[in-house]
């Protein structure tokens, strides 16, 4: 979004027109809608800005629910914004620690600041980009305890603040994320603040683990099996004795696995009747061993994140599958077996084998009314294919 589009949107006419539109329908005839709005006398620039915002509000419902209907967004801001449910967990840490005033540095459109303000804490949202800062100011307007500053995180006055939250942006061209300077503000700056204040830092889950300070509580968060962030927590907002955590959020609720350090793996063993696929947050946090011990499991292979056991356990930290049959990982064998079972809808999962699931599915040419799941992996160092069915209750 540029300044021109922002001015159109922030006009009285723009905000009224946006709120008057019916719920966005991605299948609707956009050309017809544009034509109707233009015939009603609305300028072309305004119509484009309002329709784009309606589209973003529709997309934002996945992150913000009904709150999205009164918020404004930029394309990049929505993409990078913390989901409201996750932001509530962030805010709760500051509240539980007795923090009264949080500086949200690199606030984006204000999602974390919104959750902090909702807990009656003072929050100053600091955003370097002028358009994004204006959007954040609109989103935070209902809260008198929230304010927005258009400034760089490194330059803002922190007098009176007693808690820090940072969401450093990845610098353009930074791909490997192994250098503290790959972020803006840099991780050196962020970790420096963490020595002075209770601090939370939001990072991508794929960060090089060697960059995680020993003093941090590292919490990987997944939402509906998608790992969305790594949160590093310092000082009073970190939990004593916890250095590794996997927070799993789904429609079924919230669950967390915590440990003082990476957990030791369990030994590999024979394939049992059930196979478990750990949630990505558990894998990232390296707590697979602890998970395996809670379900009486063993590893399929020492280097692969699949667990097997002889009994079924329902756990929020892994998906459970019943093994129907085991095969060599051979296309001709599998194609014959899939055809004999009339499997037309085929889900393919893989770990530890260099196979493209989409291409492999095409080669198997599944056809029929039945459905099935194949796990392509290694069992005791041998390439194997497991025909499985998902277990949803025991």
């Amino acid at each position: 979004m540029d300044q021109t589009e922002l001015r159109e949107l922030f006009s009285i006419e723009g905000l009224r027109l946006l709120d008057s539109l019916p719920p966005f329908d991605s299948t609707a005839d956009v050309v017809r809608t544009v034509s109707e709005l233009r015939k009603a006398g609305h300028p072309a620039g305004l119509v484009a800005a309002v329709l784009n915002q309606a589209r973003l509000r529709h997309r934002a419902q996945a992150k913000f629910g009904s709150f999205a209907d009164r918020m404004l967004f930029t394309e990049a801001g929505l993409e990078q914004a913390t989901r409201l449910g996750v932001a509530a967990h962030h805010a709760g840490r500051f509240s539980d620690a007795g923090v009264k005033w949080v500086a949200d540095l690199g606030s984006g459109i204000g999602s974390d600041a919104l959750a902090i303000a909702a807990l009656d804490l003072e929050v100053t949202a600091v955003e370097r980009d002028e358009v994004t800062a204006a959007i954040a100011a609109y989103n935070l307007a209902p809260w008198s305890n929230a304010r927005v500053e258009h400034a760089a995180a490194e330059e803002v006055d922190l007098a009176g603040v007693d808690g820090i939250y940072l969401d450093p942006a990845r610098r353009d061209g930074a791909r490997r994320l192994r250098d503290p300077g790959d972020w803006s503000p840099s991780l050196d700056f962020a970790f420096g603040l963490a020595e002075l204040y209770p601090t939370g830092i939001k990072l991508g889950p794929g960060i090089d683990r060697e960059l995680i300070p020993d003093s941090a509580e590292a919490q990987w968060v997944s939402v509906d099996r998608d790992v969305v962030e790594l949160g590093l927590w310092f000082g009073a907002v970190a939990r004593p004795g916890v250095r590794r955590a996997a927070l799993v959020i789904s429609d079924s609720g919230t669950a967390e696995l915590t440990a003082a350090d990476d957990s030791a793996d369990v030994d590999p063993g024979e394939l049992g009747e059930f196979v478990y696929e750990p949630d990505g947050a558990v894998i990232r946090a390296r707590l697979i061993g602890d998970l395996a011990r809670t379900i009486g499991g063993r590893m399929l292979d020492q280097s692969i994140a699949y667990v097997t056991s002889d009994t079924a356990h329902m756990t929020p930290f892994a998906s459970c599958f019943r093994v129907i049959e085991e095969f060599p990982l051979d296309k001709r064998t599998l194609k014959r077996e899939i055809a004999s079972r009339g499997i037309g809808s085929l889900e393919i999962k893989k770990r530890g084998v260099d196979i493209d699931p989409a291409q492999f599915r095409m080669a198997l040419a599944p056809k029929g009314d039945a459905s099935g799941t194949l796990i392509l992996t290694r069992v005791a160092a041998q390439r194997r294919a497991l025909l499985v069915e998902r277990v949803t209750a025991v």
Side-chain angles (χ1 to χ4, degrees):
M1 181 186 297
D2 57 21
Q3 291 280 359
T4 301
E5 185 176 349
L6 181 67
R7 284 193 294 269
E8 294 278 13
L9 193 59
F10 271 9
S11 67
I12 295 176
E13 182 184 4
L15 293 173
R16 285 178 176 172
L17 181 58
L18 175 61
D19 289 338
S20 72
L21 293 178
F24 184 83
D25 182 356
S26 59
T27 63
D29 187 341
V30 176
V31 174
R32 185 183 64 224
T33 302
V34 170
S35 177
E36 290 174 352
L37 293 176
R38 293 289 285 121
K39 286 180 180 178
H42 301 295
L46 176 62
V47 170
V50 166
L51 287 180
N52 184 53
Q53 199 58 218
R55 177 181 61 84
L56 292 174
R57 279 185 171 181
H58 177 72
R59 282 176 48 196
Q61 289 176 0
K63 286 189 173 184
F64 295 95
S66 61
F67 278 88
D69 293 337
R70 65 144 308 275
M71 296 176 68
L72 297 179
F73 303 93
T74 66
E75 194 86 34
L78 175 57
E79 182 70 25
Q80 297 160 10
T82 304
R83 290 162 173 80
L84 194 56
V86 178
H89 283 276
H90 299 164
R93 286 194 183 243
F94 289 104
S95 179
D96 293 344
V99 172
K100 303 299 183 184
W101 184 0
V102 181
D104 180 4
L105 307 181
S107 67
I109 62 171
S111 53
D112 278 291
L114 186 155
I116 294 168
L119 292 184
D120 293 328
L121 306 182
E122 295 289 327
V123 59
T124 300
V126 180
E127 173 54 45
R128 181 192 299 266
D129 180 74
E130 186 175 9
V131 169
T132 306
I135 294 292
Y138 178 89
N139 291 336
L140 292 168
W143 283 271
S144 61
N145 53 326
R147 55 187 173 275
V148 177
E149 290 191 26
H150 170 221
E154 300 90 336
E155 300 170 359
V156 69
D157 182 4
L158 297 176
V161 166
D162 60 344
I164 302 290
Y165 187 74
L166 297 101
D167 185 358
R170 186 171 69 179
R171 292 186 184 276
D172 291 342
R175 295 182 178 179
R176 310 191 75 157
L177 303 183
R178 294 181 178 177
D179 183 337
D182 284 343
W183 288 266
S184 176
S186 72
L187 293 191
D188 287 337
F189 172 79
F191 295 155
L193 288 179
E195 295 177 359
L196 304 174
Y197 303 90
T199 298
I201 304 173
K202 175 185 172 182
L203 297 168
I207 182 179
D208 188 337
R209 281 172 130 258
E210 293 182 1
L211 294 177
I212 300 174
D214 291 338
S215 58
E217 175 193 332
Q219 181 190 58
W220 283 263
V221 181
S222 73
V223 178
D224 297 329
R225 302 297 180 187
D226 178 27
V227 186
V228 297
E229 68 172 55
L230 163 63
L232 299 183
W233 300 95
F234 301 82
V237 289
R239 293 169 291 185
V242 177
R243 290 188 60 249
R244 297 290 180 263
L247 179 64
V248 176
I249 301 173
S250 70
D251 291 340
S252 301
T254 300
E256 189 175 29
L257 200 59
T258 64
D261 209 335
D262 295 355
S263 70
D265 287 338
V266 296
D267 292 333
E270 291 184 358
L271 174 66
E273 185 178 351
F274 300 92
V275 170
Y276 296 83
E277 180 183 43
D279 185 273
V282 175
I283 296 173
R284 295 279 190 179
R286 294 186 183 170
L287 298 180
I288 301 171
D290 284 352
L291 169 63
R293 280 181 280 273
T294 64
I295 60 176
R298 51 198 178 269
M299 307 302 293
L300 273 184
D301 185 277
Q302 193 67 60
S303 62
I304 297 176
Y306 280 128
V307 177
T308 186
S309 78
D310 302 313
T311 54
H313 299 268
M314 299 312 299
T315 170
F317 304 114
S319 299
C320 178
F321 299 88
R322 184 190 307 273
V323 179
I324 299 172
E325 199 160 346
E326 178 186 8
F327 305 104
L329 209 172
D330 174 74
K331 285 183 182 178
R332 285 182 297 181
T333 300
L334 292 173
K335 185 173 182 179
R336 182 177 64 249
E337 294 293 339
I338 294 299
S340 69
R341 289 170 168 81
I343 295 176
S345 175
L346 181 64
E347 177 186 27
I348 297 181
K349 295 177 171 291
K350 64 104 175 184
R351 289 191 189 278
V353 292
D354 187 16
I355 289 174
D356 182 299
Q359 293 182 1
F360 199 81
R361 185 184 297 104
M362 290 181 61
L364 297 183
K367 185 178 181 181
D369 298 328
S371 60
T373 299
L374 273 180
I375 295 178
L376 312 180
T377 188
R378 295 200 306 270
V379 178
Q382 295 185 345
R383 288 160 53 94
R384 307 296 287 176
L386 309 178
L387 182 63
V388 301
E389 61 182 2
R390 193 178 296 269
V391 178
T392 57
V394 294

